[in-house]
Amino acid sequence: MGFREDFLWGVATSAYQIEGAQNKLNKGLSIWDVYVRENNKIYDGHTGDIACNHIQTYKEDVKMMKDMGIKSYRFSIDWSRVIPDGYGNVNEEGMAFYDSLINELVKAQIEPCITLYHWELPYEIYKKGGWLNEDIVQWFGRYAGIIAERFSDRVKFFFTMNEPQCFIGLGYLNGVHAPGLKVNLRDTFEMAHNVMKAHGRAVQMIREKSKRDVLVGYAPTCGMTYPYSNSKEDIEATRKVMFSIPEADNWTWNISWWSDPVMLGKYPEEGLMKYEQYLPKITEEDMKLISEPIDIYGQNIYNGRCIRMGEDGRPVDVKRKDGYARTANNWPVTPECLYWGPKFLYERYKKPIYITENGMSAHDVISKDSHVHDDARIEFTRKYLSELKKASEDGVDIRGYFHWSLMDNFEWDKGYSERFGLVYVDYETQQRVLKDSAYWYKDVIKNNGNNL
Ligand code: GCO
């Protein structure tokens, strides 16, 4: 009992958040390179220009992972680094970097997992309309094929899109992420439809160009829900809220609009009705492309809402307790979501699940004894993983967990003010210090979670 014997214990990062060298190695501009230069968009004027300088330190970083006992590394490829304008020539210098990173991982016996899109839309594609331009479906597919052709001999895991909820919602609806726009609702639905078509096309191209059988997945996010009690009514109310559809003005933050099409081949009825006036033309052919079968389901999970059945038979949110536990960026600590989230997702989508991200930000400091005592992160992860283990024991097909993040990094509009890493990064010296949580996680991995 517990986790599967071959459970994939991992850590995750993304390209812009750690790489640095943004204008080196012939990289093209991405929307983030441009956005961070605007005034007052990013905390204290921070940029990802240097970030964790991973382009230069990747060998040491891989060695560090090996020392931490990490079994798998989920990283992303910056589209604008390997195809500077997104659709034209391939930049060999960019490809060579990832090639070498992958070789290091393989040597260290760390399973590489590629995410294709963790938000670096090439600026040249943005200028052509970005996600609004239907051609992006082919451009993204071509990019996916190029990556699969080159790396599938060594890489088995490919995730297409990371958190479409965020890159459309935060990028185009409330404008706090690149490209920082607030566009019409109509446009956001069309973008979302193209995102999912691009996902489908990528799945096809990965299969076509891979040198062997690979595993293809998707990595959306969203808040989860968990029931107030184990009564049938509360559980039913919770399941209902989990897959419910929000009002149009903040529509992107939900699960089913983004996952039902991909996993079940149809948009949720509730959404088709609620959003009708904003929707683009949706054809059967589109739905077929969008639901091109995938092998594994990734989900980024950070927290959730507690739900119970109301007196009137409608689900209600249970108020959080006064003084409830929170992380440094004020996200609630709700371990139950790592039990109920995967359980509901597995019931609905019936695919093996990987938690592609989970973790917390804390105000970590290096202590007088030169260590970083991040007890809160240890406690957080212990509680979350214990719930995940319970789900696995209850028959949910959970195959892996990637802690966000390997190391502190550029947290988007929050710059370097949030520290999510198991490893502390001093951004002036680029020194890395394993936090207590890194040693703790190593022990968990060694025991396959049996010591949680
Ligand atoms: C994602 C996330 C990460 C964040 C993390 C903490 O999309 O995968 O936004 O990039 O750093 O979720 O907020």
Side-chain angles (χ1 to χ4, degrees), residues 208-246:
E208 191 183 315
K209 300 285 182 185
S210 285
K211 307 245 162 81
R212 56 168 176 167
D213 281 349
V214 295
L215 296 170
V216 188
Y218 184 44
T221 186
C222 195
M224 302 288 113
T225 56
Y226 57 92
Y228 179 65
S229 79
N230 278 333
S231 75
K232 244 176 70 198
E233 293 74 23
D234 282 355
I235 292 174
E236 193 36 50
T238 305
R239 183 185 287 111
K240 202 163 160 202
V241 176
M242 171 104 166
F243 297 104
S244 66
I245 290 288

Side-chain angles (χ1 to χ4, degrees), residues 52-338:
C52 304
N53 194 29
H54 178 68
I55 287 268
Q56 277 169 347
T57 60
Y58 68 97
K59 288 192 178 160
E60 289 89 344
D61 291 339
V62 171
K63 173 157 189 320
M64 181 171 82
M65 277 189 262
K66 188 172 168 65
D67 293 342
M68 287 165 66
I70 301 296
K71 301 257 191 269
S72 178
Y73 178 45
R74 171 178 178 243
F75 63 98
S76 76
I77 290 191
D78 181 338
W79 187 355
S80 68
R81 195 180 287 289
V82 294
I83 308 178
D85 61 11
Y87 55 89
N89 290 339
V90 174
N91 170 30
E92 179 49 35
E93 279 186 79
M95 292 294 271
F97 164 67
Y98 295 110
D99 201 82
S100 176
L101 168 65
I102 290 164
N103 284 342
E104 289 299 310
L105 290 165
V106 171
K107 257 195 281 171
Q109 290 176 305
I110 297 171
E111 181 83 54
C113 298
I114 287 180
T115 304
L116 287 170
Y117 190 74
H118 204 124
W119 311 354
E120 295 91 3
L121 184 69
Y123 195 63
E124 292 302 317
I125 287 189
Y126 165 79
K127 286 182 358 196
K128 292 182 183 295
W131 293 108
L132 259 188
N133 183 340
E134 216 193 322
D135 289 340
I136 200 167
V137 174
Q138 298 308 324
W139 293 332
F140 188 71
R142 171 177 177 261
Y143 157 58
I146 288 169
I147 297 301
E149 183 161 27
R150 176 78 172 254
F151 302 128
S152 58
D153 57 337
R154 287 153 288 159
V155 178
K156 203 161 72 192
F157 289 82
F158 292 87
F159 292 96
T160 56
M161 305 286 176
N162 180 71
E163 301 193 348
Q165 286 85 352
C166 292
F167 72 77
I168 296 300
L170 302 177
Y172 301 90
L173 205 52
N174 44 30
V176 300
H177 279 185
L181 301 179
K182 294 184 186 187
V183 304
N184 293 336
L185 285 173
R186 172 70 175 69
D187 291 356
T188 61
F189 282 101
E190 180 131 11
M191 288 179 186
H193 194 58
N194 284 336
V195 166
M196 286 182 262
K197 284 201 287 182
H199 154 86
R201 184 66 190 136
V203 179
Q204 293 177 338
M205 291 298 285
I206 293 169
R207 300 235 193 266
E208 191 183 315
K209 300 285 182 185
S210 285
K211 307 245 162 81
R212 56 168 176 167
D213 281 349
V214 295
L215 296 170
V216 188
Y218 184 44
T221 186
C222 195
M224 302 288 113
T225 56
Y226 57 92
Y228 179 65
S229 79
N230 278 333
S231 75
K232 244 176 70 198
E233 293 74 23
D234 282 355
I235 292 174
E236 193 36 50
T238 305
R239 183 185 287 111
K240 202 163 160 202
V241 176
M242 171 104 166
F243 297 104
S244 66
I245 290 288
E247 292 311 313
D249 54 357
N250 193 28
W251 75 265
T252 58
W253 196 244
N254 76 84
I255 295 168
S256 47
W257 190 263
W258 296 102
S259 290
D260 284 11
V262 168
M263 307 302 289
L264 307 175
K266 54 179 200 262
Y267 280 106
E269 277 307 317
E270 190 191 349
L272 287 173
M273 273 158 29
K274 237 183 196 164
Y275 306 148
E276 192 188 357
Q277 60 180 310
Y278 306 114
L279 298 181
K281 185 151 172 271
I282 299 169
T283 67
E284 256 176 55
E285 206 184 312
D286 293 346
M287 297 317 291
K288 209 164 153 252
L289 177 61
I290 290 173
S291 59
E292 184 70 34
I294 58 177
D295 309 293
I296 56 180
Y297 185 81
Q299 180 86 33
N300 297 350
I301 299 182
Y302 287 91
N303 51 60
R305 290 150 61 192
C306 180
I307 307 290
R308 69 177 172 80
M309 184 63 93
E311 309 293 307
D312 60 356
R314 279 200 249 167
V316 286
D317 267 89
V318 178
K319 187 174 172 299
R320 297 189 200 279
K321 282 191 201 143
D322 291 351
Y324 66 87
R326 285 179 291 168
T327 68
N329 61 351
N330 284 325
W331 292 357
V333 177
T334 60
E336 303 89 332
C337 67
L338 227 48

